[in-house]
Amino acid sequence: MFPLRDINPALHRPIAVMLILLVNAGAWTLVQGFGQDLPLARSLCEYALIPGELLRLAPVGTVIPVSPNFACQLEGDASAWTLVTHMFLHGGWFHIIGNMWFLWVFGDNVEDAMGPLRFVAFYVLCGLAAAAAQIASDPGAAVPMVGASGAIGGVMGAYARLYPRTQVITLIFLGFYWTTVAIPAFAMLGYWFFIQLISGLPALGSTSGGVAFWAHVGGFLAGVLLIGPMHRPDYLIRRAQQMERRFFDSRHF
């Protein structure tokens, strides 16, 4: 299932969401060279999160292939900043486009509930929780981890808690046939979370690379929990009042 849009208009311009989109696009352009081999490989070696290196569990000198032509060599001097920098990097065009699309679909309404400054803090905290979950699943992993998926998973968890019955127009593939249906947010996002959870189980203890499913799980759960203390009830009350006013005005147009 792939979300196309939600039937949940935002009441404010999503300033923080657009800023995060720009930062990701800037990193993809200026740091990763639009995914060209050399800048992409260099970005993975320098700014990706490598749990085994960060925790000093992977031997110094370990060589990690990151493309057919390039490899990273661990030097044992990983910076804690990779806990943050990794969430603004991506591994390819589909990776960044998919992540940014999910952020655009669900982020504006979550920002509506807390304002732009809190949203930025919330986004980073969810990204850190996602990183912690992935590290916990394999502390000695020597595989570079990049992507905004964990932080965006937090946004999706918050959305599921705030707007569970909101309809999400979803693209569904059934073999060679595809269609669009309106699905309640709790069902669409709950299904996404379930897929991440069951997909992550075989990855426990695995030394091979792949999708960071436990980062997705950790980010989603962080979003569900953090949205409680971090949202502003007065924003939601004002939002409900404005939505009711819009509905009343449309009925009497």
Side-chain angles (χ1 to χ4, degrees):
M1 294 194 295
F2 188 85
L4 298 177
R5 60 183 178 88
D6 61 342
I7 306 177
N8 191 14
L11 299 182
H12 305 95
R13 187 181 297 277
I15 297 172
V17 169
M18 291 190 290
L19 175 63
I20 293 170
L21 287 168
L22 287 174
V23 172
N24 279 272
W28 179 246
T29 303
L30 302 175
V31 178
Q32 299 190 278
F34 293 108
Q36 297 179 69
D37 281 353
L38 180 56
L40 179 61
R42 185 175 294 158
S43 71
L44 296 179
C45 295
E46 295 179 1
Y47 304 115
L49 173 61
I50 304 177
E53 185 180 31
L54 185 65
L55 299 179
R56 306 292 193 267
L57 296 177
V60 174
T62 299
V63 175
I64 308 168
V66 293
S67 78
N69 302 314
F70 299 97
C72 305
Q73 184 171 6
L74 302 187
E75 299 177 355
D77 59 350
S79 169
W81 279 108
T82 58
L83 289 166
V84 175
T85 57
H86 85 277
M87 69 180 79
F88 296 97
L89 303 176
H90 292 84
W93 279 105
F94 286 112
H95 193 199
I96 186 171
I97 291 172
N99 277 345
M100 296 304 99
W101 183 261
F102 272 74
L103 176 61
W104 182 252
V105 171
F106 297 110
D108 56 346
N109 299 117
V110 176
E111 184 179 336
D112 249 0
M114 59 177 68
L117 293 179
R118 287 196 187 195
F119 182 84
V120 171
F122 169 84
Y123 183 90
V124 173
L125 286 173
C126 288
L128 292 174
Q134 189 63 29
I135 291 172
S137 73
D138 189 0
V143 179
M145 170 183 161
V146 293
S149 308
I152 295 169
V155 173
M156 294 163 66
Y159 191 103
R161 182 171 174 181
L162 288 171
Y163 314 106
R165 295 179 178 81
T166 293
Q167 297 294 302
V168 180
I169 307 302
T170 306
L171 181 64
I172 297 180
F173 295 94
L174 302 170
F176 294 103
Y177 174 76
W178 60 270
T179 187
T180 57
V181 295
I183 301 176
F186 78 88
M188 187 269 162
L189 296 174
Y191 173 80
W192 180 89
F193 176 76
F194 176 72
I195 293 298
Q196 309 310 306
L197 186 61
I198 62 172
S199 297
L201 293 176
L204 287 174
S206 173
T207 57
S208 61
V211 178
F213 291 111
W214 289 106
H216 301 171
V217 171
F220 188 94
L221 292 177
V224 171
L225 295 174
L226 288 174
I227 191 60
M230 291 194 70
H231 82 282
R232 292 188 54 171
D234 56 316
Y235 276 33
L236 290 179
I237 292 172
R238 194 181 313 157
R239 173 186 168 82
Q241 292 172 341
Q242 291 185 19
M243 293 295 290
E244 183 178 358
R245 192 177 304 119
R246 284 187 180 184
F247 177 76
F248 179 81
D249 291 343
S250 67
R251 293 286 299 271
H252 293 78
F253 181 72

